[in-house]
Amino acid sequence: MFSAVFVTGTDTDVGKSVACAWLLNQLQGEYWKPVQSGLEEKDVDAVCSYAGLSADRVHPSLYELTQPLSPHEAAKRDGLHIDLSRFSVPEHKAPLIVEGAGGLMVPLNEEALIIDLIEQLQLPVILVSRSSLGTINHTLLSLEALRARSIPVLGIIMNGEPSPHNHEALSEYGQVPILAQIPLLEQVTPEALAAVSPDLPLEVWA
């Protein structure tokens, strides 16, 4: 089993925080958001609420930016420069779930992207995708970008109303396992997430 994994998305608002909460629920893990853009609605607060996560299982963000914008722009407005060399995986006792910002090609500064941060941390990836129309293109492009950098992909978590044909297409064309399908939930609670079973046993994810 992996000791840490980077959770990234095919786009913004694809449900990375819900997927992270589900993983934390399944693995009894720890959580880290390296870069937080926007302080009024912080991802860590949502994840802690969704997963019932205690504060002692949360690692502080390295950068907390005031504006809910792409990290490079949010940092610029705060008069900061995101320095990739400052990032390293924090010490952890349980599986560490690391949540990115937006998708792979979101800029962190003038030169570095989220995918560069993943390389810097040397972590495998779980890719979060929508289940709806358009997901095939977005997901396959993301997988191609990861494979071009030889970044290991453990699998895909799909979010939204179940779509069997998209599920089948991503598995076939993406050549990567679908770890779980998280349906639309009326309320995202620890109990609701616990009721979502993985498509594959956790033992085979590594």
Side-chain angles (χ1 to χ4, degrees), residues 125-142:
V125 162
I126 289 177
L127 183 63
V128 182
S129 68
R130 293 185 178 88
S131 59
S132 55
L133 186 65
T135 191
I136 298 173
N137 180 61
H138 291 156
T139 304
L140 295 184
L141 283 171
S142 296

Side-chain angles (χ1 to χ4, degrees), residues 57-74:
R57 289 164 58 194
V58 175
H59 298 268
S61 299
L62 190 57
Y63 290 92
E64 287 199 335
L65 310 171
T66 59
Q67 302 302 310
L69 303 169
S70 173
H72 79 291
E73 181 63 25

Side-chain angles (χ1 to χ4, degrees), residues 12-182:
T12 192
D13 292 331
V14 296
K16 289 191 303 299
S17 294
V18 173
C20 285
W22 181 81
L23 286 165
L24 289 160
N25 192 305
Q26 291 288 317
L27 301 170
Q28 297 303 300
E30 300 174 24
Y31 175 79
W32 183 40
K33 177 85 174 182
V35 179
Q36 170 66 49
S37 293
L39 300 183
E40 289 189 10
E41 296 182 3
K42 296 169 66 173
D43 289 329
V44 63
D45 295 334
V47 169
C48 286
S49 172
Y50 297 160
L53 195 66
S54 58
D56 62 329
R57 289 164 58 194
V58 175
H59 298 268
S61 299
L62 190 57
Y63 290 92
E64 287 199 335
L65 310 171
T66 59
Q67 302 302 310
L69 303 169
S70 173
H72 79 291
E73 181 63 25
K76 187 187 302 182
R77 297 192 185 192
D78 285 350
L80 298 172
H81 174 80
I82 296 176
D83 181 357
L84 207 63
S85 68
R86 291 187 60 200
F87 292 91
S88 61
V89 177
E91 292 185 8
H92 52 282
K93 297 178 181 178
L96 179 66
I97 309 302
V98 183
E99 182 177 1
L104 293 167
M105 297 302 174
V106 167
L108 293 168
N109 56 36
E110 295 83 354
E111 299 175 349
L113 310 170
I114 288 292
I115 197 169
D116 296 304
L117 174 59
I118 297 172
E119 280 193 311
Q120 165 84 6
L121 297 174
Q122 297 184 321
L123 293 178
V125 162
I126 289 177
L127 183 63
V128 182
S129 68
R130 293 185 178 88
S131 59
S132 55
L133 186 65
T135 191
I136 298 173
N137 180 61
H138 291 156
T139 304
L140 295 184
L141 283 171
S142 296
L143 290 172
E144 185 170 305
L146 290 163
R147 286 169 176 156
R149 306 274 193 115
S150 299
I151 296 173
V153 181
L154 297 181
I156 294 170
I157 293 176
M158 299 182 71
N159 262 322
E161 205 61 49
S163 173
H165 61 278
N166 281 338
H167 186 291
E168 182 181 353
L170 292 184
S171 179
E172 178 182 353
Y173 294 106
Q175 291 296 295
V176 66
I178 310 299
L179 303 179
Q181 163 73 63
I182 302 176

